[in-house]
Amino acid sequence: MNTERLVLRPWPAGDITAVTRRTRCAHWADDFPAEGDGVIAGILAEHPETLGQSQIIERASGLVVGSIGLFWPPADGAVEIGYGVVPSRRGRGYAAEATRALADHALTEPDVHTVYANVELSNPPSVRVLEKAGFQLASSDGGTARYHLK
């Protein structure tokens, strides 16, 4: 899937192996993988059938700069989205651009009518990502808020 500045592509097997073995690939940003990318790679290594997990690639450089994913299967028509961009590429709108693209794609699936994300309110940059991607506050409970896009 392509956006104006990004490519979202499924994780290649070689990248999953490299992350889990803590080796580097030339097509990664210097600060990739971040902690969350390691978690995703670990899940994909153990459960290769896992769907909806993609790398975020900066089109201008061709470098992997983050990860984004949907947590399947949908429950009652809703699917959760998660995302992360490495520190060197934050503040460029990449996370919001990728989040909107993947959420829009998910909403084309017949079993999905809502894409949501749970975010810690102590993480204002993540809240801004969701708001820029068009998500709306659905609920809040203590320090956590749920945002959704329908």
Side-chain angles (χ1 to χ4, degrees):
M1 172 184 321
N2 293 332
T3 70
E4 181 181 339
R5 300 175 299 156
L6 305 170
V7 174
L8 307 181
R9 75 156 185 228
W11 278 72
D15 283 22
I16 295 168
T17 300
V19 171
T20 58
R21 292 184 180 169
R22 300 184 192 274
T23 59
R24 298 243 359 114
C25 291
H27 61 276
W28 294 351
D30 289 343
D31 48 352
F32 183 88
E35 182 180 340
D37 303 311
V39 171
I40 295 299
I43 291 169
L44 291 170
E46 299 230 353
H47 304 283
E49 74 283 359
T50 301
L51 299 175
Q53 304 302 313
S54 297
Q55 291 179 324
I56 301 171
I57 300 163
E58 182 180 56
R59 288 175 69 168
S61 68
L63 298 175
V64 178
V65 299
S67 299
I68 189 163
L70 297 166
F71 300 96
W72 290 96
D76 298 321
V79 65
E80 185 175 6
I81 193 167
Y83 50 84
V85 172
V86 294
S88 66
R89 298 310 198 278
R90 291 182 186 155
R92 300 179 188 195
Y94 288 172
E97 186 175 327
T99 298
R100 184 59 191 234
L102 190 58
D104 285 348
H105 177 73
L107 291 169
T108 67
E109 294 294 321
D111 297 349
V112 177
H113 60 71
T114 303
V115 178
Y116 71 92
N118 294 317
V119 62
E120 297 294 322
L121 293 173
S122 61
N123 186 356
S126 193
V127 170
R128 281 193 302 276
V129 164
L130 294 169
E131 290 172 345
K132 287 180 181 179
F135 283 64
Q136 307 233 336
L137 179 64
S139 63
S140 141
D141 179 13
T144 303
R146 178 173 285 209
Y147 281 78
H148 67 233
L149 183 68
K150 292 185 175 196

